[in-house]
Amino acid sequence: MPTYTSLQTEDPAIYEALVGEMKRQTEGVEMIASENYVSPAVLECMGTVFNNKYSEGYPGKRYYAGQEFTDAVENLAIERAKQLFDAAHANVQPHAGAPANVAMYFALLEPGDTVMGMDLSHGGHLTHGHPVTYLTKIFKFIRYKMKDIETGEIDYDEMRQVALKEKPKMILAGFSAYPRELNYAKMKAIADEVGAVTVADMAHIAGLIAGKVLRNPFHDGFDVITTTTHKTLRGPRGGMILTREAELGKKIDKSVFPGFQGGPIMQMVAAKAVAFGEALKPEFRQYAKQVVVNSKHLAAYLMVKGVKLVTNGTDNHLMLIDCVKSWNLGGNEIETLFDRIGITLNKNMIANDTRKPMDPSGVRLGTPAITTRGMKEKEMEKLADFMLTAVASRADETALLKLHEEVKTFCRKFPVPGITT
Ligand code: DSN
């Protein structure tokens, strides 16, 4: 466990901010669906002297000397990733999820090619073709949506019709705010009809796939998976690209380096190896299962209490509350209100939202981090009660202060890995 004594002496300002952040994480409830707590071993690995090494290239084929130990850790990360996801090839160097997606696009497409991805407001991600990204200057993005927002079912018939007309070169599955399981087999069948490559960006659900709780897109014939490593997978911040067949992996490698990135961040590659080793253990499978059990339980409990969830439930680790329909309040107001009592989640657009991104109709919340802390079904009900009490008492400052103290007391029973204060 790091002691931070050198940091305390050398840079008290940063040390103080770190202490504040450790306190915030310990005393608060982390319900941002994309966040998690890494193990002490992963945390230690991120602060090692692997930081000091330049390692452009790949194991056995580097541009600089002195790679015997960096090669060892990168090879371990690659082999463990392949085993976790039934992949033929793994590139563990992407610095994060967005760079992984950029490298993936350039590996598989030519400028001007068409990509079919999920609409952002229906759960997709910025890097799947939102107009604010530079990607839209290079590729053409077309969208698919839910057919029925009450169930969350994707409109696969419309997707097929549009694909037949527009002939996308890539069909992209994946999301950052969609609570349902996707039908990869249907998407693959459409892609095969139009000759498109299939890519799943499973950043949000990688840990649930590794833990065998959700379906692995490779098992339905998808060609490529991109992901972050720090969400449900519970590793260091970073990205990764996997391919089902080895041949495609060569294109991916060239695209990541030298195509797009420079030297890998080797302490993060080492920490990825540690996290993947943890994810291969039976305890991780149990963790992934509990993430979804907790999520479904929380969703069901909230709905019984009259809260309106987008798609009326969840199959994965996250859910979206329609705050306007539930309480006649905006997502921003709810985010701020819950933050005041120590529950952190994020405002989020919901399907067909008429409000703006900075003040949308919904909030997104999830169970990966609280499950890592050991919370189970009983605690999901407690957390829902805290949230509902906050809404009911929102005009009563004294009640909110009292509630915040109750949340802190509740949190102290569930230690955060890697924090000893
Ligand atoms: N920021 C991540 C999320 O919260 O889903 C995605 O990039």
Side-chain angles (χ1 to χ4, degrees):
M1 195 80 65
T3 54
Y4 309 112
T5 45
S6 305
L7 180 64
Q8 186 173 14
T9 313
E10 290 297 320
D11 199 327
I14 296 294
Y15 175 77
E16 262 177 47
L18 173 64
V19 170
E21 177 61 15
M22 289 196 288
K23 191 164 181 283
R24 189 192 70 81
Q25 290 192 15
T26 308
E27 293 184 346
V29 183
E30 186 51 72
M31 297 194 80
I32 292 180
S34 50
E35 296 190 11
N36 212 331
Y37 306 105
V38 294
S39 72
V42 171
L43 201 57
E44 277 180 6
C45 205
M46 286 189 264
T48 58
V49 294
F50 280 118
N51 176 73
N52 302 340
K53 187 70 194 129
Y54 252 128
S55 307
E56 285 100 329
Y58 292 100
K61 287 171 289 181
R62 306 277 193 194
Y63 284 80
Y64 300 164
Q67 307 288 352
E68 54 269 51
F69 303 109
T70 50
D71 275 6
V73 296
E74 187 165 348
N75 276 327
L76 276 171
I78 290 168
E79 288 312 313
R80 290 173 184 173
K82 281 160 61 179
Q83 198 184 335
L84 269 179
F85 296 101
D86 289 340
H89 184 86
N91 187 308
V92 295
Q93 294 191 4
H95 300 331
N101 279 346
V102 173
M104 173 277 290
Y105 287 129
F106 280 94
L108 305 175
L109 300 173
E110 295 297 327
D113 280 352
T114 299
V115 180
M116 186 176 221
M118 191 188 266
D119 191 89
L120 184 75
S121 74
H122 282 231
H125 188 250
L126 282 176
T127 58
H128 299 179
H130 194 276
V132 297
T133 65
Y134 294 140
L135 290 165
T136 55
K137 294 184 196 290
I138 298 161
F139 307 111
K140 180 182 171 196
F141 288 89
I142 54 175
R143 327 225 171 274
Y144 58 88
K145 293 183 173 183
M146 290 182 258
K147 176 161 70 179
D148 179 0
I149 59 173
E150 294 302 316
T151 63
E153 195 197 346
I154 301 292
D155 197 338
Y156 294 105
D157 295 331
E158 201 201 7
M159 190 180 182
R160 179 170 175 271
Q161 292 309 326
V162 175
L164 289 172
K165 185 163 162 273
E166 299 280 346
K167 301 270 186 303
K169 288 278 167 25
M170 177 184 291
I171 290 189
L172 184 58
F175 49 80
S176 58
Y178 178 71
R180 295 297 182 183
E181 176 71 305
L182 293 171
N183 190 330
Y184 301 109
K186 277 192 180 168
M187 291 187 185
K188 171 70 178 154
I190 296 167
D192 284 348
E193 262 193 276
V194 299
V197 66
T198 37
V199 179
D201 176 348
M202 60 173 190
H204 261 264
I205 54 171
L208 307 181
I209 292 171
K212 317 262 185 258
V213 184
L214 292 184
R215 199 156 172 80
N216 183 336
F218 282 153
H219 297 167
D220 291 313
F222 263 57
D223 300 301
V224 177
I225 287 175
T226 62
T227 185
T228 52
T229 48
H230 50 268
K231 298 186 175 91
T232 47
L233 193 49
R234 218 163 57 177
R237 300 198 80 84
M240 170 163 71
I241 308 175
L242 305 154
T243 64
R244 185 170 49 82
E245 287 178 354
E247 203 50 32
L248 208 47
K250 291 182 193 159
K251 281 191 180 177
I252 297 290
D253 281 357
K254 271 196 203 143
S255 185
V256 172
F257 175 85
F260 184 53
Q261 289 189 172
I265 304 177
M266 207 33 92
Q267 74 274 30
M268 296 312 223
V269 171
K272 285 174 192 173
V274 176
F276 299 161
E278 291 173 357
L280 283 165
K281 293 184 180 153
E283 301 89 288
F284 189 84
R285 215 183 261 205
Q286 193 46 44
Y287 161 71
K289 196 169 153 209
Q290 189 65 43
V291 168
V292 177
V293 167
N294 281 349
S295 182
K296 285 179 188 242
H297 193 84
L298 178 60
Y301 188 82
L302 284 169
M303 287 190 296
V304 165
K305 299 280 176 178
V307 175
K308 174 68 181 167
L309 296 187
V310 176
T311 82
N312 292 307
T314 180
D315 298 327
N316 57 30
H317 63 298
L318 69 84
M319 65 206 74
L320 290 147
I321 297 177
D322 184 332
C323 303
V324 175
K325 281 198 182 138
S326 301
W327 305 302
N328 203 23
L329 294 169
N332 201 24
E333 284 169 280
I334 289 295
E335 179 190 277
T336 307
L337 175 66
F338 291 174
D339 200 38
R340 280 173 69 192
I341 63 157
I343 295 180
T344 314
L345 41 65
N346 63 280
K347 57 183 164 294
N348 217 99
M349 297 286 275
I350 61 172
N352 309 329
D353 209 330
T354 51
R355 297 168 68 118
K356 298 263 180 305
M358 287 310 284
D359 187 19
S361 299
V363 290
R364 184 189 68 166
L365 60 160
T367 53
I370 53 180
T371 306
T372 294
R373 279 177 95 159
M375 296 183 195
K376 294 212 163 78
E377 292 94 310
K378 186 158 64 86
E379 284 76 35
M380 297 306 110
E381 295 181 17
K382 186 82 184 153
L383 289 173
D385 288 339
F386 282 139
M387 290 188 259
L388 295 168
T389 309
V391 173
S393 332
R394 62 188 179 279
D396 183 344
E397 189 60 32
T398 314
L400 291 177
L401 283 172
K402 183 168 165 279
L403 204 51
H404 193 182
E405 288 310 311
E406 285 174 33
V407 169
K408 285 188 203 169
T409 307
F410 167 81
C411 282
R412 286 192 195 103
K413 288 187 254 161
F414 299 93
V416 173
I419 300 181
T420 46
T421 55

